Amino acid sequence: MDMNAYLSMFIDESNDHLQALNENLLRLENSPDDLTIVQDIFRSAHTLKGMSATMGFEDLAHLTHEMENVLDLVRNGKLSMDSFIFDTLFKGLDALESMVKDIVGGGTGKLDVTELVGQLKKIVSGEHTAGAEAAASAAPQAQPSGEAVLDQYQYSVLQQSIGTGHRVYRTIVTIRKDCVLKSARAYMVFNVLEQAGEVVKSQPSVQDIEQEKFDNSFTVFLISQWTADDLKKQIAGISEIEAVEVTELDAEALNALSRPSQPSEPERKADKPQAAGPAGQAGQAGQAEKRPPAAGGAVAKTIRVDIERLDVLMNLFSELLIDRVRLEQLASEIRSAELTETVEHMSRISADLQNIVLKLRMVPVETVFNRFPRMVRDLAKSLNKKVDLIITGAETELDRTVIDEIGDPLVHLLRNSVDHGIEPADKRLEAGKPETGTVHLRAFHSGNNVFIEIEDDGGGIRRDKVLATAVKRGIITEEQGKAMTDEEVYMLIFAPGFSTAEQVSDISGRGVGLDVVRSKINSLGGSVTVRSELGKGTVFSIQLPLTLSIISAMLLKLGSEKYAIPLSSIMETTIIKRSQIHNIHGNAMIEFRGAIIPVVSLAELVDSPDYDDKREEECEAIIIRKGDKWAAVLVDDFIGQSDIVLKPLGKYLSGYSVISGATILGDGQVALIIDPNAMIR
């Protein structure tokens, strides 16, 4: 029998079972005496073992079998769960995910799991002790041969830094064996590294190096603008340094070092449960109970569809939409009753078809959210903090193209909230707070947008510290800082290279990578804002469009040229007289509904060849909004509203930040699509 024919099905099913195992283990850690959860875990493990054995992946089946033995004792009341058992099972899941990931990449799924199997056998035989917990947490995680120590987040930061023109180095420093104070020499090395750029990863960790828990060498992954020779020269100049190896990494070399765990392709599924609710123990992430189907209720039927087929369907429908608009225009010109009636009927049918096509591409944000509880659990444990992750609105749907891109920015923001937002337990108690911090991850619809918020009840962002750092790094002047509102100050943490971190950390400080977060969200047609209250906490709010393929837009003219602006950003249209526009500190402003808002000339932004609003006594204007900021955009004339297909321009017109793409109109002309977010600063 040809097993390759079943490989795709095996991978899909394995990812589903691994996700279920992760979620249920987190639930069990909150309620260790709930045997119904143990039964769910056992069934998933048993099914995964059988599938792996059938497909010939022996290492995967062997490890799952040993995990199954532990779970069998627990469900029969012969073994009580403790921290060591949980940690070992989670490491087993990590190893299983690594093997499945290797299979996805065309590998054999083989992995040396001898140490893990040994720990599981000791649990079964009763040989493990509470003292083994420390050893288990200190033991290196099983990884496929040749795979580096970078996790998904660190890999993402380094990869995106390379893409934005920064240099990424792997630096291996060896200290002489006769050195008396290794940690002091390492401290001097890190001082040099901090001057050179941003440390993303240290192996061993910075904490272990400070406590001299390392041999004579350590490895550091660094983002810098220094040359490799300068970096090597500076480190080698420190006394008692035996050797320095500095290697600049390109995208290919970085990929060879670490293949980060990526979520499986989003799939259409029925009756997705909402992930929500606080965890009951320290460092745990909450998950809602999965509701069983009602007795006698109809079972939803689903099929798996290749994502590429949906992309082809969307492209074909996009072309159909362009022809539909063209037919509507021709019908209005010819004025044939029969043709008009037929076109109107076709328009209604194609509108229904459009809704179905868009819904087919909509995926619950749960497909991204469901990997965060485990991440927060591990992160809180490594930082010795107590954190609850509460997820709400996981059933909120987004276009698949947005879902695929939003994962990394959310990882950045969540890790910052846990690391720098939530205070250690002792400081929280001193401040009169519960020792367990809370991070809310919520998603909800609002109009044609989806909002994702990450809120922590930590210490908040210090305005004075942000301003001091921004002035020191030359981002703003002291005079500019004094005139800025709190929100404007907080947004400075998204400036490239901004960081208020006082010491090197394996986990990025607030600011490291946040410029990448904003760039990524802006590229999706969205925006990110931050609110903070000192001592109370911080809220990051991300606004995203429902879909990137077909949007409703206002068509308008600038002389002989046509443009489109998404309706989701337009508050209203109006007429502005030249006499209403005032010059305030060099900026054109008008009073609108009791507020002073800026006036933007679209003709100037796009270098219009045959329209100049300065020659007009009064202009049509569009009032747009980004968050709580407003602006009035001057235009020539309105054409009307229409559904348009967004076509990317690639490298064309890359010098115009306000142009996000183009569309083909019903008369065959091309209209450029304006990005309202780029017009409001």
Side-chain angles (χ1 to χ4, degrees):
M1 183 169 60
D2 182 14
M3 289 298 178
N4 288 328
Y6 299 94
L7 185 59
S8 176
M9 186 183 300
F10 167 78
I11 291 171
D12 288 340
E13 293 290 341
S14 296
N15 282 321
D16 286 346
H17 285 298
L18 287 172
Q19 183 58 45
L21 285 167
N22 262 305
E23 292 176 1
N24 286 323
L25 265 180
L26 288 169
R27 289 173 58 211
L28 184 63
E29 201 167 24
N30 292 333
S31 308
D33 297 325
D34 191 340
L35 294 183
T36 59
I37 302 176
V38 180
Q39 292 284 9
D40 291 339
I41 297 172
F42 184 85
R43 279 194 296 270
S44 292
H46 185 73
T47 304
L48 183 59
K49 180 189 74 171
M51 291 164 48
S52 304
T54 303
M55 294 295 295
F57 299 122
E58 296 177 0
D59 286 357
L60 209 158
H62 180 48
L63 177 57
T64 313
H65 176 70
E66 296 299 336
M67 294 171 67
E68 189 182 23
N69 288 341
V70 173
L71 294 167
D72 188 47
L73 292 177
V74 175
R75 69 171 182 160
N76 289 317
K78 298 178 181 178
L79 180 67
S80 297
M81 297 292 291
D82 59 30
S83 181
F84 176 77
I85 297 176
F86 275 117
D87 287 346
T88 305
L89 290 175
F90 275 124
K91 287 177 181 178
L93 285 181
D94 290 339
L96 293 174
E97 288 176 354
S98 295
M99 286 187 263
V100 172
K101 183 175 63 178
D102 185 54
I103 294 168
V104 172
T108 60
K110 290 189 175 299
L111 177 66
D112 183 5
V113 292
T114 307
E115 183 179 355
L116 263 175
V117 168
Q119 291 177 354
L120 291 167
K121 287 185 175 180
K122 285 183 178 180
I123 293 173
V124 171
S125 63
E127 295 178 32
H128 89 284
T129 61
E133 181 180 342
S137 61
Q141 181 179 324
Q143 297 185 16
S145 59
E147 188 168 341
V149 294
L150 296 174
D151 65 19
Q152 177 186 350
Y153 169 72
Q154 293 153 354
Y155 171 89
S156 172
V157 170
L158 295 176
Q159 183 188 48
Q160 294 176 24
S161 297
I162 292 173
T164 54
H166 291 79
R167 294 173 177 170
V168 170
Y169 295 110
R170 180 182 60 177
T171 305
I172 303 175
V173 180
T174 304
I175 300 175
R176 283 170 43 183
K177 292 184 179 179
D178 58 353
C179 178
V180 179
L181 295 173
K182 293 191 299 181
S183 61
R185 297 304 174 200
Y187 176 80
M188 295 173 71
V189 171
F190 275 107
N191 271 344
V192 172
L193 295 174
E194 282 185 283
Q195 295 172 17
E198 297 286 354
V199 173
V200 174
K201 173 69 179 181
S202 169
Q203 185 192 18
S205 68
V206 175
Q207 290 81 3
D208 285 346
I209 292 174
E210 288 176 348
Q211 298 170 22
E212 294 200 2
K213 293 181 180 179
F214 69 105
D215 294 329
N216 290 88
S217 65
F218 54 88
T219 302
V220 177
F221 289 87
L222 176 78
I223 302 171
S224 176
Q225 289 291 3
W226 287 18
T227 65
D229 289 340
D230 287 343
L231 191 59
K232 185 173 182 179
K233 184 178 179 181
Q234 289 290 327
I235 298 174
I238 299 172
S239 60
E240 296 187 296
I241 297 297
E242 183 174 293
V244 181
E245 179 185 332
V246 179
T247 306
E248 184 171 356
L249 304 176
D250 56 17
E252 185 177 350
L254 184 65
N255 191 51
L257 280 171
S258 174
R259 284 179 284 176
S261 175
Q262 298 291 341
S264 59
E265 287 286 358
E267 299 159 351
R268 291 291 301 163
K269 293 187 179 179
D271 299 331
K272 281 284 187 179
Q274 174 181 340
Q281 292 183 349
Q284 306 310 310
Q287 291 283 14
E289 295 289 333
K290 296 194 175 183
R291 297 185 297 272
V299 178
K301 296 179 181 178
T302 61
I303 60 170
R304 297 180 186 274
V305 178
D306 193 317
I307 291 297
E308 291 183 1
R309 294 186 182 182
L310 289 181
D311 288 338
V312 171
L313 179 61
M314 174 57 76
N315 290 334
L316 290 174
F317 180 77
S318 299
E319 298 300 321
L320 180 63
L321 181 60
I322 293 171
D323 290 339
R324 185 192 83 184
V325 177
R326 176 63 173 153
L327 279 173
E328 288 173 345
Q329 183 172 340
L330 289 173
S332 64
E333 293 174 358
I334 297 174
R335 296 183 180 178
S336 166
E338 292 181 354
L339 178 59
T340 301
E341 183 181 348
T342 304
V343 170
E344 287 177 352
H345 181 259
M346 192 194 80
S347 297
R348 289 194 296 271
I349 297 298
S350 61
D352 292 340
L353 180 60
Q354 176 180 332
N355 289 331
I356 292 174
V357 171
L358 290 177
K359 286 180 179 178
L360 282 175
R361 292 171 57 87
M362 300 299 276
V363 181
V365 292
E366 180 188 20
T367 57
V368 177
F369 284 8
N370 61 17
R371 55 180 162 138
F372 295 142
R374 171 71 191 282
M375 183 192 82
V376 170
R377 179 249 184 211
D378 293 345
L379 183 58
K381 196 162 188 176
S382 68
L383 294 170
N384 196 28
K385 293 183 178 180
K386 299 182 177 182
V387 183
D388 282 348
L389 174 65
I390 301 177
I391 297 177
T392 53
E395 75 285 354
T396 306
E397 292 188 325
L398 264 174
D399 189 280
R400 184 191 66 84
T401 51
V402 182
I403 287 284
D404 288 349
E405 300 291 335
I406 196 61
D408 285 345
L410 292 179
V411 168
H412 282 259
L413 296 176
L414 274 171
R415 291 181 73 110
N416 274 287
S417 290
V418 175
D419 184 23
H420 291 276
I422 302 296
E423 315 95 324
D426 55 346
K427 289 187 178 180
R428 291 183 63 85
L429 291 174
E430 289 176 10
K433 296 181 179 181
E435 63 175 355
T436 300
T438 303
V439 176
H440 289 269
L441 175 61
R442 60 177 73 96
F444 55 91
H445 283 115
S446 179
N448 289 322
N449 294 283
V450 168
F451 286 83
I452 298 177
E453 292 185 344
I454 296 172
E455 179 180 0
D456 65 67
D457 65 345
I461 302 174
R462 286 178 51 187
R463 175 191 169 98
D464 57 342
K465 189 173 181 181
V466 172
L467 276 178
T469 303
V471 172
K472 180 181 177 182
R473 293 180 179 257
I475 298 171
I476 59 169
T477 63
E478 286 190 28
E479 290 73 22
Q480 289 174 323
K482 291 176 182 177
M484 296 175 75
T485 64
D486 286 348
E487 182 183 340
E488 290 171 335
V489 171
Y490 299 148
M491 288 302 292
L492 291 173
I493 67 177
F494 290 100
F498 183 93
S499 177
T500 58
E502 296 176 351
Q503 58 185 353
V504 181
S505 170
D506 286 349
I507 302 165
S508 168
R510 198 168 246 155
V512 177
L514 290 188
D515 60 319
V516 177
V517 169
R518 183 165 65 173
S519 297
K520 172 61 72 175
I521 292 171
N522 286 346
S523 71
L524 294 173
S527 62
V528 58
T529 57
V530 58
R531 308 188 305 274
S532 186
E533 188 175 349
L534 195 62
K536 298 286 185 66
T538 303
V539 181
F540 289 97
S541 180
I542 300 172
Q543 178 181 342
L544 294 164
L546 278 175
T547 178
L548 298 182
S549 303
I550 299 175
I551 59 175
S552 295
M554 172 69 76
L555 300 179
L556 53 91
K557 288 197 307 181
L558 284 181
S560 60
E561 297 178 332
K562 296 180 179 179
Y563 294 88
I565 295 183
L567 278 179
S568 57
S569 298
I570 298 175
M571 302 308 297
E572 60 182 281
T573 60
T574 186
I575 295 177
I576 295 178
K577 295 181 179 179
R578 179 59 54 182
S579 59
Q580 293 177 285
I581 303 176
H582 304 284
N583 191 301
I584 302 176
H585 300 299
N587 299 310
M589 311 288 283
I590 64 164
E591 183 178 354
F592 184 78
R593 301 198 183 283
I596 303 297
I597 65 173
V599 177
V600 179
S601 171
L602 183 58
E604 289 183 7
L605 292 177
V606 299
D607 295 328
S608 176
D610 52 7
Y611 179 74
D612 184 1
D613 51 64
K614 290 185 174 63
R615 299 176 184 173
E616 305 292 332
E617 285 301 317
E618 63 179 30
C619 295
E620 303 281 357
I622 296 175
I623 308 299
I624 60 173
R625 185 176 72 175
K626 174 184 177 183
D628 58 357
K629 295 181 180 180
W630 296 53
V633 182
L634 302 181
V635 301
D636 182 3
D637 197 8
F638 300 118
I639 299 174
Q641 299 180 17
S642 178
D643 287 338
I644 61 172
V645 179
L646 195 153
K647 300 285 187 181
L649 288 172
K651 296 181 180 179
Y652 294 104
L653 300 178
S654 57
Y656 294 87
S657 61
V658 295
I659 297 175
S660 61
T663 188
I664 302 173
L665 302 178
D667 58 3
Q669 288 187 341
V670 173
L672 297 177
I673 300 172
I674 301 299
D675 178 11
N677 291 328
M679 291 191 282
I680 301 180
R681 300 297 180 185

